Amino acid sequence: MPHRSGASHSEGDAAKTQLIMLPGTNVKTLERVVIRFSGDSGDGMQLAGNIFSNVSAGEGSQISTFPDYPAEIRAPQGSLSGVSGFQVNVGKGVHTPGDEADVLVAMNPAALKTNLRYLKPGGIIICDVDTFRPADLKKAEYATDDPVAELGIDPARIMLVPMTTLLKHTLKDSGMDPKSVMKCKNMLALGLICWLFDSPVESVLRKLEKKFAKKPAVYEANAKVIRAGWDYGHNTHSSMPTYRIESEAVKPGTYTDVNGNTATAWGLIMASEKSGRPLFLGSYPITPATDILHELAKRKDLGVKACQMEDEIAGVCSAIGASYAGHLAVTSTSGPGLALKSEGIGLAVMAELPLVVIDVQRGGPSTGLPTKTEQTDLMQALYGRNGESPLCVLAAASPTDCFTMAFEAARIAIEHMTPVILLTDAFIANGSSAWRVPEEEDYPEIRPHFVDASRLEQGWKPFDRDENLVRYWAVPGTPGAMHRVGGLEKDIRTSAISTDGKNHEKMVNIRREKIARIANDIPELQVAGNPDADTILVGWGGTYGHLYTAAEELNAEGCDVAFAHFRYINPLPKNALEVLSRYRRVIVAELNTGQFADYLQMHLPGRRVDRINKVEGQPFMVREIVEGVKSFLGGNEGSINETGNTNSNEA
Amino acid sequence: METTEKQFVPADFKSEQSVRWCPGCGDHAILNVLHKAMADLGVAPEKTAVISGIGCSSRLPYYMNTYGMHTIHGRAAAIATGLKTARPDMTVWQISGDGDGLAIGGNHFIHAVRRNIDINILLFNNKIYGLTKGQYSPTSDRGAVTKSSPYGTTEDPFIPAELVFGARGNFFARSIDIALDTTKEVMLAAARHHGASVVEVLQNCVIFNNGSHSFLSDKERRDEHTIHLRQGEKMLFGKEMERGLVQDGFGLKAVKIGEDGWTIDDVLVHDATTPTNFLHQQLAMMDGHELPLAIGVIRDVASPTYEAEVEAQVEAVKGKKNFRNLRDMILSTSETWTVGGEAEKE
């Protein structure tokens, strides 16, 4: 096989040895491994990564994936700004896509340069050496013609593979045009990865065969290329052992790989099936929430009406119209869109209509960092409306939890006649993991709070309430239940418009208490980690995987911490404050400057809440949380520590 | 539209709420006519929904014994669109003023029209903001002196019909608050039209803009300044119907029959149903000065409606895929794998 640069077989072999011979062990099996695929947006890195993670999941591995893509749709080829990454973590006890990669696949010098910082010390790199041409190096802003030396990469850690040459050679008789040939380069990388992880090519080929069932020629070409990649690894590094990733027993069932946005859409469909209410979505395209609209638009095949409206406001307002009409009504958006929807959501609060608002959080304020993740919309969700305007706020913990929490948002909205804001974020919305397709009986029935005939006969008024202060839903078309709702205050008895001050105060209190009583209808807060520790690590929403793993690592190292994660934000679980009060130290880790910590502090007067914060548009790294917690346990009584990312406030 | 054999009377559509508009306000007349029009239409109160935004006219749903929502400023069209899309079986009316519908709600207005959702939009045009006590609106004439334009406005108004045609609307009609029969006639035509129908009712604000339409509505002057267009009839107006509209190059001209050689044969015949909107637009733009203001149904062209197309698409796709439920769909369309013995095979 031709090698163009200084990389030789033995150097590649050395890299493998290093990877496999982990400190203190010489087994060929790893608990989990993180691979980061990087290249131009059009290089098909996500597809290669997805196929590999799905094949691994099919063999019993847990998986977590995360795409990291630029805001530009197609930045100039080979440029630094055009690089997108796709990270997969497979193995046992996988809760995050991994802090750093064991293996980095870089399809060009720009990808190598921008993604090197995500590689573990001692990790290895697979790179297409054919792209080390002067023009490519210039585009990627290299000063010399030797990227490996310039970036200070240990030559023993990098496998320089002439991917383009191999690819052209493999497909020279295929009759494909050069552009189509180049599209198969991701499969060559996939073949190499399969070899490296001792993964049989056959299961990958089965997936591909299904994917290209209608295009056998495309399948044949891709299969040939994958085999060529595998053979290249095998032939040039045959003396080296390859290694396997561990798997573990998971709950029996049928599994698929799902990202958070798709899971959100599916959770809503499940809620529609369980409530008997048809699903309506009013939405407007916005990154990173648009895939919810895409998925539900496809689901006309399940009777879903997903309407792309003229703006964010029309998105929420059309949903309010559909809600009044008796549908499970939803609007999906991201932070800037939530701001535009505020007045509409206030109307749903005042008219007491069921409404699900999905906010896939991204970096803000304003347009901010549209493709990056953050948890900075919490205060907006809780308080971003005029007047006393309480509503239910939930947050999903992981890509697959988006399904459960979307279902929960719909359940609470319908059974408690209130708008519910579900916070997800770019990280879990785009990230994916293996998910057991739920059986019919896995989720409970949702019981709409309809007005019934006997109540109508007794002189029903639109704002009559049950013992939970929930009003009844009178669906248009029902004879004898004609009624008007609106944004004006109404009389507590007659439901007619009222501007009486005393009456208004009563209604304000009722609306607040109605939301507070939802606490009786949600699960209590669970404590994981070491419940008997003095310190509890607290998080909410999409940081679950990182916090869980950090707590696990801390306890394994002998730093005792309990861990609690919030998915129900308003109201808080009934036992939440009591649970937190048991701990001498409460540390809230979140991807903002302390919004949930402030919220908890408000509910825990006199208590001190310590904080670990990050606002870089990227998820936490487990390491950052571990170090942050340690800095508090090490006697640091607050203020800014040496890394600058933790601080605490005295109440 | 789901009509029934049952006979309704206006009282069936009246709520118990006492009407709180100013004495002499044009809205009273429009409300009474709406009750009558609904009774004539034959759609049951429980199959009717009335959606409004914010403003004087937007109080109207409270006076209806139907389903209804008094929503937020400018958003009635979007809310009505959601309601109608979810429930095509409901007959949906939208009540908006010129500020609510064309200023803050302008975007929703043009998109509801473009989308051709089957709602009946009643646009009460008094050329002023009444509820906030007298500021100029997007239909106020250039130079209008109001509280927010003490030296006169320096901007041109919208002509609602022009917006409707610009948004490719298929139904536009106009009336004046005091012309009760015409108002009822156009309301019924709007309700019977499939698709977004816009009815502009010139309405008098007795407090802040009194008499703004009086040259069109006074008994002595209205015959000379307005023309009632009727499908298939000659475009004639005047006290004795002695005047008519004729083609004049690319425009229209008002002539006296028998003068300057004009005969009745030269007078145009109204056709609201012709798809080309060129002449409709010219008729709708007549303002009562050079040419008489047109009232009646100006354009009424059949076109596919949004909610029916959505419904048809849902049915077509459902029929083709034939999934029983979510799980069935996931198992049929996603890449899956099975763990454990008892689970379903891929």
Side-chain angles (χ1 to χ4, degrees):
Chain A
M1 288 294 166
H3 279 262
R4 282 193 189 172
S5 82
S8 71
H9 294 186
S10 64
E11 276 158 350
D13 296 348
K16 282 229 50 188
T17 313
Q18 208 168 348
L19 182 72
I20 291 145
M21 299 302 186
L22 291 173
T25 154
N26 58 359
V27 293
K28 293 181 192 171
T29 306
L30 285 181
E31 272 204 348
R32 47 185 179 249
V33 65
V34 178
I35 309 167
R36 190 175 177 95
F37 296 84
S38 62
D40 269 326
S41 294
D43 274 343
M45 291 291 88
Q46 180 152 349
L47 178 64
N50 262 332
I51 292 174
F52 184 75
S53 59
N54 285 357
V55 166
S56 308
E59 286 161 10
S61 281
Q62 290 178 336
I63 59 172
S64 175
T65 78
F66 178 56
D68 185 11
Y69 57 95
E72 294 77 14
I73 300 301
R74 284 280 187 278
Q77 228 177 11
S79 70
L80 295 172
S81 64
V83 174
S84 60
F86 187 75
Q87 192 161 309
V88 304
N89 188 359
V90 302
K92 205 173 146 182
V94 167
H95 295 283
T96 77
D99 282 5
E100 289 167 327
D102 297 290
V103 179
L104 171 66
V105 178
M107 301 303 273
N108 62 35
L112 180 63
K113 195 176 200 178
T114 52
N115 282 272
L116 190 60
R117 63 192 153 114
Y118 298 110
L119 186 69
K120 264 183 202 162
I124 69 161
I125 302 164
I126 299 174
C127 195
D128 181 8
V129 70
D130 289 337
T131 62
F132 286 10
R133 292 166 300 200
D136 295 299
L137 296 175
K138 197 177 159 208
K139 268 191 280 187
E141 299 169 26
Y142 284 91
T144 69
D145 62 358
D146 187 354
V148 178
E150 190 176 331
L151 295 172
I153 299 169
D154 175 0
R157 285 165 45 215
I158 187 162
M159 289 173 67
L160 292 165
V161 183
M163 291 197 206
T164 310
T165 310
L166 278 171
L167 183 65
K168 285 181 180 163
H169 180 75
T170 307
L171 293 179
K172 67 176 190 298
D173 300 326
S174 67
M176 292 163 75
D177 61 272
K179 212 174 155 187
S180 305
V181 167
M182 287 314 288
K183 276 191 178 166
C184 298
K185 205 162 97 173
N186 57 345
M187 293 300 130
L188 195 90
L190 183 58
L192 277 160
I193 289 290
C194 286
W195 158 75
L196 188 60
F197 293 101
D198 192 27
S199 197
V201 171
E202 283 62 37
S203 22
V204 169
L205 295 186
R206 273 199 299 276
K207 298 264 175 213
L208 271 187
E209 200 167 10
K210 253 186 173 174
K211 186 173 169 57
F212 294 116
K214 288 178 187 159
K215 297 173 184 166
V218 176
Y219 165 71
E220 280 307 326
N222 277 299
K224 232 173 157 179
V225 172
I226 288 176
R227 284 206 183 89
W230 200 93
D231 290 347
Y232 177 82
H234 185 258
N235 296 338
T236 57
H237 301 80
S238 56
S239 61
M240 293 311 302
T242 54
Y243 72 94
R244 280 188 169 275
I245 305 158
E246 264 190 35
S247 60
E248 67 186 321
V250 294
K251 193 174 174 186
T254 303
Y255 282 74
T256 188
D257 176 29
V258 72
N259 70 39
N261 274 339
T262 305
T264 300
W266 290 353
L268 296 167
I269 295 173
M270 177 64 107
S272 169
E273 289 178 2
K274 289 290 179 181
S275 63
R277 296 292 86 202
L279 181 57
F280 178 95
L281 176 80
S283 190
Y284 186 78
I286 184 169
T287 304
T290 316
D291 284 340
I292 298 172
L293 168 62
H294 293 167
E295 177 61 22
L296 288 177
K298 276 194 234 161
R299 297 286 79 89
K300 276 199 168 108
D301 55 21
L302 288 172
V304 178
K305 289 180 180 171
C307 300
Q308 180 175 320
M309 297 301 292
E310 58 270 20
D311 57 29
E312 294 281 357
I313 297 172
V316 69
C317 286
S318 61
I320 290 170
S323 166
Y324 182 73
H327 279 44
L328 166 54
V330 182
T331 188
S332 55
T333 190
S334 185
L338 184 64
L340 285 164
K341 293 181 198 295
S342 296
E343 193 193 11
I345 297 169
L347 174 64
V349 169
M350 195 60 157
E352 301 188 41
L353 285 167
L355 174 72
V356 176
V357 180
I358 314 279
D359 173 10
V360 185
Q361 298 170 97
R362 68 188 216 188
S366 187
T367 309
L369 290 76
T371 62
K372 306 297 178 189
T373 200
E374 233 168 66
Q375 294 184 300
T376 42
D377 292 346
L378 177 62
M379 288 298 179
Q380 182 180 210
L382 284 166
Y383 306 118
R385 290 165 297 285
N386 63 305
E388 297 290 348
S389 189
L391 49 66
C392 179
V393 178
L394 309 180
S398 68
T400 56
D401 190 47
C402 286
F403 182 90
T404 307
M405 294 316 279
F407 181 90
E408 278 292 88
R411 177 184 71 82
I412 292 170
I414 288 176
E415 294 189 347
H416 294 265
M417 294 293 281
T418 176
V420 177
I421 297 180
L422 171 61
L423 296 172
T424 71
D425 60 54
F427 171 65
I428 59 172
N430 293 315
S432 74
S433 29
W435 175 68
R436 190 176 148 274
V437 182
E439 311 276 345
E440 193 63 12
E441 62 277 7
D442 289 349
Y443 284 80
E445 293 296 319
I446 296 174
R447 290 174 299 275
H449 208 248
F450 294 132
V451 61
D452 57 26
S454 71
R455 205 168 294 280
L456 284 176
E457 278 164 27
Q458 290 158 25
W460 165 82
K461 298 278 191 293
F463 288 84
D464 287 351
R465 295 165 196 282
D466 72 0
E467 66 282 3
N468 288 320
L469 303 177
V470 179
R471 78 175 191 93
Y472 298 91
W473 205 2
V475 173
T478 312
M482 287 82 75
H483 69 287
R484 278 65 56 196
V485 297
L488 287 171
E489 187 61 277
K490 47 255 150 196
D491 185 85
I492 192 167
R493 278 182 315 107
T494 65
S495 303
I497 302 169
S498 165
T499 52
D500 178 72
K502 295 267 184 236
N503 174 76
H504 173 56
E505 187 165 299
K506 281 182 197 158
M507 291 297 278
V508 164
N509 290 333
I510 284 174
R511 286 188 289 265
R512 192 191 54 201
E513 180 60 20
K514 179 180 91 166
I515 299 302
R517 289 190 190 178
I518 295 171
N520 298 324
D521 196 21
I522 57 175
E524 294 205 333
L525 185 67
Q526 304 290 321
V527 178
N530 180 355
D532 300 325
D534 279 349
T535 298
I536 186 162
L537 174 64
V538 172
W540 66 278
T543 53
Y544 171 79
H546 295 94
L547 268 61
Y548 180 90
T549 310
E552 225 177 23
E553 285 185 14
L554 281 161
N555 283 310
E557 287 179 37
C559 297
D560 290 346
V561 289
F563 169 53
H565 201 78
F566 285 83
R567 297 144 83 218
Y568 298 83
I569 310 281
N570 191 43
L572 289 167
K574 261 198 300 192
N575 64 335
L577 302 179
E578 186 270 314
V579 165
L580 297 180
S581 306
R582 278 187 238 150
Y583 294 89
R584 202 174 59 78
R585 191 189 289 273
V586 175
I587 304 172
V588 176
E590 53 187 327
L591 298 171
N592 56 42
T593 58
Q595 297 186 19
F596 189 62
D598 285 344
Y599 178 69
L600 281 184
Q601 193 131 45
M602 188 176 85
H603 286 90
L604 291 165
R607 276 303 306 269
R608 164 193 156 136
V609 177
D610 291 325
R611 295 128 197 268
I612 299 173
N613 301 115
K614 174 175 175 179
V615 200
E616 295 175 12
Q618 292 290 336
F620 275 122
M621 289 198 180
V622 172
R623 173 167 47 77
E624 292 166 338
I625 301 161
V626 168
E627 284 167 9
V629 171
K630 279 182 181 171
S631 77
F632 285 114
L633 298 187
N636 183 335
E637 289 299 318
S639 76
I640 308 291
N641 75 354
E642 60 280 1
T643 63
N645 67 347
T646 63
N647 57 73
S648 72
N649 280 5
E650 213 62 59
Chain B
M1 197 167 64
E2 288 188 14
T3 55
T4 68
E5 291 302 304
K6 196 177 157 194
Q7 296 292 307
F8 294 102
V9 294
D12 292 331
F13 296 89
K14 253 182 226 174
S15 79
E16 292 161 2
Q17 294 261 317
S18 54
V19 180
R20 298 229 185 124
W21 287 311
C22 306
C25 172
D27 289 356
H28 292 282
I30 304 172
L31 174 66
N32 288 334
V33 174
L34 184 59
H35 289 146
K36 286 181 188 150
M38 284 188 177
D40 286 4
L41 196 62
V43 175
E46 69 265 19
K47 284 291 192 180
T48 305
V50 183
I51 311 298
S52 68
I54 294 293
C56 292
S57 58
S58 288
R59 287 292 182 104
L60 189 139
Y62 289 116
Y63 311 135
M64 308 300 298
N65 182 34
T66 62
Y67 285 92
M69 292 179 89
H70 174 230
T71 69
I72 45 178
H73 203 20
R75 316 302 169 204
I79 290 172
T81 297
L83 198 165
K84 182 70 182 181
T85 307
R87 292 284 303 279
D89 59 308
M90 296 293 293
T91 293
V92 180
W93 298 78
Q94 180 200 328
I95 313 296
S96 281
D98 39 309
D100 187 63
L102 303 185
I104 189 167
N107 197 33
H108 308 307
F109 178 82
I110 54 174
H111 286 282
V113 171
R114 171 188 65 79
R115 197 174 272 133
N116 204 31
I117 180 88
D118 186 13
I119 58 176
N120 314 314
I121 303 172
L122 303 186
L123 185 73
F124 292 26
N125 184 4
N126 58 13
K127 303 187 172 186
I128 194 85
Y129 282 83
L131 199 62
T132 50
K133 303 194 190 327
Q135 300 76 28
Y136 69 94
S137 90
T139 57
S140 299
D141 299 332
R142 178 179 272 273
V145 174
T146 71
K147 281 188 188 157
S148 57
S149 56
Y151 309 111
T153 66
T154 55
E155 55 193 90
D156 276 335
F158 273 144
I159 311 296
E162 202 176 19
L163 264 190
V164 171
F165 294 133
R168 313 189 62 200
N170 290 310
F171 185 100
F172 181 79
R174 190 190 280 130
S175 187
I176 305 174
D177 52 8
I178 51 99
L180 306 183
D181 290 344
T182 311
T183 304
K184 193 170 98 172
E185 171 197 317
V186 296
M187 282 176 177
L188 285 169
R192 286 170 184 146
H193 172 81
H194 297 297
S197 34
V198 178
V199 173
E200 180 191 18
V201 186
L202 301 179
Q203 174 249 330
N204 192 37
C205 175
V206 71
I207 307 295
F208 296 109
N209 206 14
N210 196 20
S212 61
H213 305 304
S214 56
F215 77 107
L216 302 167
S217 54
D218 286 357
K219 236 181 192 156
E220 314 77 60
R221 293 188 282 177
R222 66 186 178 209
D223 292 337
E224 298 307 316
H225 291 286
T226 62
I227 181 168
H228 190 157
L229 298 175
R230 291 183 175 88
Q231 177 65 18
E233 292 186 17
K234 292 270 181 194
M235 299 183 191
L236 294 170
F237 68 107
K239 273 201 169 55
E240 312 292 331
M241 290 290 170
E242 74 284 8
R243 305 177 69 190
L245 293 178
V246 300
Q247 186 116 28
D248 180 31
F250 274 142
L252 295 172
K253 188 158 109 174
V255 299
K256 200 160 190 181
I257 315 297
E259 271 185 13
D260 301 328
W262 295 105
T263 70
I264 187 78
D265 293 336
D266 297 316
V267 175
L268 292 164
V269 173
H270 184 47
D271 182 7
T273 65
T274 187
T276 319
N277 68 14
F278 174 69
L279 196 56
H280 297 150
Q281 184 156 352
Q282 292 207 42
L283 291 167
M285 294 295 285
M286 301 188 304
D287 62 4
H289 295 286
E290 291 279 303
L291 292 169
L293 178 105
I295 59 174
V297 177
I298 295 170
R299 179 173 173 82
D300 185 356
V301 175
S303 181
T305 69
Y306 178 76
E307 76 288 348
E309 294 285 296
V310 169
E311 196 89 342
Q313 207 172 54
V314 164
E315 289 313 314
V317 180
K318 264 167 86 175
K320 214 162 120 192
K321 301 283 183 69
N322 217 7
F323 299 138
R324 281 166 300 148
N325 54 26
L326 174 72
R327 184 178 162 85
D328 192 18
M329 181 279 294
I330 296 172
L331 297 183
S332 312
T333 61
S334 303
E335 196 182 304
T336 58
W337 60 89
T338 302
V339 177
E342 292 167 41
E344 266 179 64
K345 283 276 167 247
E346 231 176 90

